[in-house]
Amino acid sequence: MRAAVIHGERDVRLEDVPTPTLFTGSGSDGLDAVVRVVAACVCGSDLWPYRGVTPTHEPHRIGHEFVGVVEEVGANVRTITPGDFVIAPFYDCDMTCVNCRNGVSTSCLHGGWWGSKDRIGGFADGGQGEFVRVPHADGSLVATPEYPRAELIPSLLTLSDVMGTGHHAAVSAGVTEGSTVVVVGDGAVGLCAVLAAKRLGASRIVAMSRHESRQALAREFGATDIVAERGDAGVAAVKELFDGIGADCVLEAVGTKESMDQAIRSARPGGMVGYVGVPNGGPELPVRPLFQSNIGVNGGVAPVRNYVEDLLQDVWSGAIEPGKVFDLEVPLDEIAEAYAAMDERRAIKTLVRP
């Protein structure tokens, strides 16, 4: 089959790789499945190795968001069947261990990551390819009620990562009915955080964005205000909107020192920051200012699998359309362009069709 392989800085190639099969080696547990990918995408976190910020020591498979159709399942798979249209989270998990049951499936005791070996020695393919072997089919995969309409597929794909991650930021910050919210970051995750805050009942949502197209989508998703300034000017603009105090909840969706500083200083005393930006650029927590203002910080790598069923209901009904974050679609043959377009900010998020 064909799949994306990253070789180094700004060097992603489409290559022929082995087509996955069910694992039959020593230790096989019969819990895996093979999924034919219908749609995948490039994540903002994929840009860190693409830009060379995270070094690539040797060529490896890449991609961690996909939806598709189950081709075959292992002998011990019980809830997923061939022919199911399924959503996969951006990691593998069994949903039975104590961490999964505690709502933190990203810390699954038996799980792993796409594009690497699993705990029993099989290979879990990267998501940007034609097929993926899924180690824990019953845990990782969520089947939709039936094969979805074509227009639903982009929104279903966001449940693999960005919509669930935006939702995690909102949940971590304690967004509830009537909350005032600031979102730092206008990438796909930040925009989905706006949508998540609106869905949870926020009364006022400030999107921090300097790009007109992203500002427009933020407003469509529920933003009531836009702040384009950054640093001290950005903090001042936010506080001016909230009586000089700041917002109840701030959602951080970038992962740099500057974005975390922006988020913390935009929260009111006693407020909460929900952070989901993958840490790059040395973000550090200023304990003394947090202590003095009673500002809390909560979040981390989003356990999106724990949120899929809840969010799926609203996507399936059309109540929310997070798939609008995809403003470019390319065939798998053009995977290099999928990366370049996001790197150069010509696209918010690129959908890839095998």
Side-chain angles (χ1 to χ4, degrees):
M1 70 166 185
R2 302 172 306 155
V5 178
I6 186 166
H7 285 255
E9 184 176 342
R10 290 180 170 80
D11 186 5
V12 174
R13 309 175 194 175
L14 187 64
E15 298 183 358
D16 290 326
V17 300
T19 301
T21 59
L22 298 176
F23 184 65
T24 58
S26 176
S28 173
D29 54 16
L31 297 174
D32 52 351
V34 174
V35 174
R36 173 175 56 83
V37 177
V38 171
C41 54
V42 177
C43 181
S45 64
D46 292 331
L47 297 181
W48 295 124
Y50 181 76
R51 291 168 174 162
V53 176
T54 302
T56 297
H57 299 293
E58 60 182 21
H60 60 84
R61 302 277 288 282
I62 193 167
H64 53 256
E65 300 158 274
F66 63 94
V67 294
V69 176
V70 177
E71 294 284 296
E72 55 180 330
V73 298
N76 295 321
V77 175
R78 296 290 176 261
T79 63
I80 298 297
T81 60
D84 283 347
F85 187 94
V86 291
I87 302 159
F90 64 84
Y91 53 90
D92 167 52
C93 59
D94 63 14
M95 289 302 287
T96 61
C97 79
V98 62
N99 289 338
C100 288
R101 288 184 282 109
N102 282 338
V104 195
S105 53
T106 42
S107 296
C108 178
L109 296 175
H110 310 111
W113 308 97
W114 307 120
S116 62
K117 282 192 174 183
D118 66 15
R119 303 294 179 94
I120 61 173
F123 185 70
D125 300 82
Q128 294 163 10
E130 295 178 312
F131 295 89
V132 175
R133 174 184 166 268
V134 177
H136 297 99
D138 287 330
S140 295
L141 301 177
V142 177
T144 59
E146 58 189 38
Y147 197 94
R149 304 187 309 277
E151 60 269 24
L152 281 181
I153 289 176
S155 288
L156 294 171
L157 180 57
T158 68
L159 301 186
S160 286
D161 189 345
V162 290
M163 184 60 210
T165 298
H167 179 69
H168 186 57
V171 170
S172 296
V175 176
T176 188
E177 194 74 30
S179 295
T180 57
V181 176
V182 172
V183 178
V184 178
D186 65 355
V189 171
L191 291 166
C192 285
V194 170
L195 183 58
K198 176 68 174 178
R199 178 179 177 271
L200 292 173
S203 61
R204 193 170 188 183
I205 304 169
V206 180
M208 302 196 76
S209 173
R210 292 177 286 191
H211 303 87
E212 289 187 7
S213 62
R214 299 176 187 224
Q215 292 173 354
L217 186 54
R219 288 194 180 279
E220 185 176 348
F221 277 179
T224 55
D225 302 88
I226 302 292
V227 168
E229 294 85 355
R230 293 290 183 271
D232 292 342
V235 172
V238 166
K239 290 193 172 182
E240 186 176 348
L241 294 172
F242 298 109
D243 301 319
I245 300 300
D248 299 327
C249 309
V250 183
L251 316 185
E252 189 282 325
V254 181
T256 64
K257 182 177 182 178
E258 294 77 12
S259 62
M260 185 63 83
D261 174 71
Q262 188 87 71
I264 291 169
R265 293 199 290 142
S266 297
R268 65 165 173 80
M272 178 69 78
V273 174
Y275 73 100
V276 293
V278 178
N280 275 283
E284 299 174 354
L285 293 181
V287 175
R288 176 66 68 176
L290 294 174
F291 180 83
Q292 290 175 336
S293 298
N294 283 278
I295 292 171
V297 179
N298 187 28
V301 56
V304 300
R305 174 59 186 85
N306 296 88
Y307 301 134
V308 172
E309 284 90 349
D310 182 31
L311 296 172
L312 175 58
Q313 296 180 49
D314 282 0
V315 168
W316 197 259
S317 70
I320 59 173
E321 297 181 72
K324 290 182 177 182
V325 296
F326 293 108
D327 54 350
L328 177 65
E329 179 177 324
V330 301
L332 184 59
D333 289 341
E334 298 177 18
I335 189 65
E337 166 61 12
Y339 276 81
M342 286 182 61
D343 177 48
E344 297 163 11
R345 297 185 74 84
R346 291 185 282 111
I348 299 172
K349 192 167 178 68
T350 309
L351 188 146
V352 180
R353 300 272 188 179

